[in-house]
Amino acid sequence: MGIVLFAMGGYGAYLGWSIRSSPGDKLKTAPLPAPLAGSMADLGKSTAEMHATLMTAMGFIFFLGANGGLVLSLVQDKPITESVHFTTAMIGFAMLAMQGSLTKLFKGQNAQAARTAHALFGTATMLVFLFHAYQVPPPTPLSSPCV
């Protein structure tokens, strides 16, 4: 999940702030991440499309991972809702849902305010997910040593 957060979320956040700083560039082809810059021509999507695709896919993959985490906690007879990791995940999912709904206001009367709120709230969402990644519970030790 950390790879998804840093690769997809990090590049998606970068693209979001790129759109914010240069709104005219949102229809240009998305710039390649530095490690891929020499090996490919481009990604074939505009910056705005790539931002939306990456962040939606990140949310979906996090949703699938959360289901796996819940099942693992249940199998191990651990209390689910008492974990900081669970709490930060639920806060992060709520923030992602609010992020998605803010995009519906981009064409209304307060479009600029909605875009500003989306950018700042998106940064806060990424910070919550970074804190969430830090809260991964340590693995439980084996009850008896393996021989």
Side-chain angles (χ1 to χ4, degrees):
M1 292 291 131
I3 292 172
V4 172
L5 176 64
F6 289 107
M8 295 175 83
Y11 184 53
Y14 165 77
L15 290 176
W17 277 103
S18 170
I19 294 167
R20 177 86 179 140
S21 64
S22 303
D25 291 348
K26 73 179 183 181
L27 298 178
K28 289 185 178 178
T29 304
L32 289 170
L36 299 176
S39 63
M40 301 169 64
D42 62 44
L43 296 172
K45 286 189 173 195
S46 72
T47 303
E49 290 172 328
M50 185 58 75
H51 171 72
T53 301
L54 282 172
M55 300 318 261
T56 302
M58 182 190 80
F60 181 68
I61 291 170
F62 279 0
F63 177 75
L64 294 176
N67 286 322
L70 288 174
V71 169
L72 182 63
S73 293
L74 289 172
V75 167
Q76 294 177 346
D77 289 327
K78 291 184 178 179
I80 297 169
T81 58
E82 294 176 12
S83 162
V84 175
H85 195 68
F86 173 82
T87 305
T88 56
M90 293 303 106
I91 291 169
F93 281 131
M95 291 175 82
L96 281 177
M98 287 189 271
Q99 277 294 94
S101 23
L102 279 173
T103 62
K104 301 298 180 194
L105 303 174
F106 282 4
K107 296 190 186 207
Q109 290 178 327
N110 298 322
Q112 193 57 36
R115 289 178 185 278
T116 299
H118 180 77
L120 297 175
F121 200 65
T123 301
T125 303
M126 288 300 291
L127 290 174
V128 165
F129 278 123
L130 284 172
F131 180 72
H132 170 75
Y134 179 73
Q135 297 302 314
V136 173
T140 55
L142 296 173
S143 57
S144 62
C146 295
V147 179

